[in-house]
Amino acid sequence: MALYLRKELEKSKSVIGVWQITETEEELVRLGSVPSDEMEEISFIKNDSMRKQRLAVRALLCELFGEKVYLSHHDNGKPYLENSVTNISITHTQKYVAVILNDNEDVGIDIESLARDFSAVEQKALSEDEIEDLDEDRKNEQLAIYWCAKEAIFKRISAYNVDFAEQIEVERFRPRGEGELDATFIHKDGYEEEFELEYMTFDNHVLVWVVG
């Protein structure tokens, strides 16, 4: 399928890329120019789908950058590019991988399939106020957006031991095909950091991102 979506965010000067995984592993290897050390690491992944997701990220990065980039991860799991100052966040499902890039600001992105049951998110990651705001008619979709929003902020913050229910508050919203979200991250010392997120839905998936 190659590149499924390339979205330029003019306001934040960011780029979002989405790749639909339809290729074989061999095709993804050819498309991705994967460095030998990372290829060896990927070869130890036993799950076929997870291997393809890692390879698809590589193919997507080659498509977006037009040249080989070297992807690494900090000790906390946050990805970074060894040969570029561009900030990056990565997310994937069985069918899609997505990245967001920004040269100046920290970023976070998350994607989920709406075919998944998100009922556990209600008790695991939502505050009492957020639970009260749930719309029974579109509850699973709303829970998916809540989860993606909190994951995106978590990736942007890169903090340890974050309590999603207590530390990440998402303002009331009603699911639409795309929209904006306001959220607050409450640091352990009580400092509150405000965020504006955006989201879109496509092919029964929801994608949420944050910049800055």
Side-chain angles (χ1 to χ4, degrees):
M1 177 67 189
L3 187 66
Y4 180 84
L5 170 72
R6 180 188 174 105
K7 186 176 180 67
E8 305 277 351
L9 307 177
E10 293 183 8
K11 183 179 178 181
S12 63
K13 295 181 172 59
S14 304
V15 176
I16 289 175
V18 180
W19 186 284
Q20 185 176 11
I21 307 172
T22 59
E23 301 82 2
T24 64
E25 283 191 39
E26 291 74 18
E27 289 170 332
L28 288 170
V29 169
R30 289 197 297 271
L31 290 168
S33 300
V34 186
S36 57
D37 57 340
E38 187 175 349
M39 194 65 241
E40 182 179 3
E41 179 186 333
I42 292 173
S43 70
F44 288 114
I45 300 174
K46 294 182 179 180
N47 184 286
D48 294 350
S49 178
M50 291 299 296
R51 283 200 309 273
K52 290 178 72 173
Q53 290 170 33
R54 285 282 298 273
L55 292 168
V57 168
R58 274 295 181 181
L60 176 55
L61 290 177
C62 281
E63 178 72 25
L64 294 176
F65 281 91
E67 61 183 4
K68 184 181 290 189
V69 292
Y70 294 88
L71 180 66
S72 282
H73 294 80
H74 295 290
D75 291 342
N76 63 1
K78 184 177 182 177
Y80 70 94
L81 300 173
E82 293 183 8
N83 59 328
S84 174
V85 298
T86 300
N87 296 300
I88 182 173
S89 183
I90 300 170
T91 184
H92 40 75
T93 64
Q94 187 169 351
K95 190 173 182 180
Y96 292 99
V97 298
V99 302
I100 184 169
L101 307 170
N102 187 289
D103 289 342
N104 301 305
E105 303 282 355
D106 285 324
V107 290
I109 194 168
D110 197 60
I111 189 172
E112 292 287 353
S113 169
L114 293 172
R116 174 183 164 188
D117 180 4
F118 286 91
S119 57
V121 170
E122 183 174 347
Q123 300 303 322
K124 176 182 178 182
L126 267 59
S127 67
E128 291 183 6
D129 288 343
E130 290 167 338
I131 292 172
E132 289 179 2
D133 287 339
L134 289 172
D135 182 349
E136 288 299 325
D137 293 334
R138 303 181 69 177
K139 188 174 181 178
N140 198 64
E141 180 182 3
Q142 199 171 7
L143 287 171
I145 295 172
Y146 267 122
W147 179 253
C148 284
K150 296 194 178 201
E151 273 285 335
I153 290 175
F154 173 68
K155 292 177 180 180
R156 155 62 182 84
I157 291 292
S158 299
Y160 290 98
N161 302 318
V162 172
D163 185 324
F164 277 30
E166 296 294 330
Q167 289 183 260
I168 308 175
E169 298 179 353
V170 179
E171 295 297 319
R172 183 175 183 174
F173 69 95
R174 286 293 173 263
R176 304 193 301 273
E178 57 182 331
E180 298 178 351
L181 303 166
D182 292 318
T184 303
F185 182 83
I186 305 168
H187 290 263
K188 294 289 178 63
D189 62 2
Y191 172 69
E192 296 186 0
E193 198 168 351
E194 305 291 331
F195 291 100
E196 294 180 356
L197 303 93
E198 294 181 78
Y199 72 92
M200 62 182 293
T201 56
F202 61 91
D203 191 24
N204 208 35
H205 284 65
V206 60
L207 182 71
V208 181
W209 61 90
V210 60
V211 179

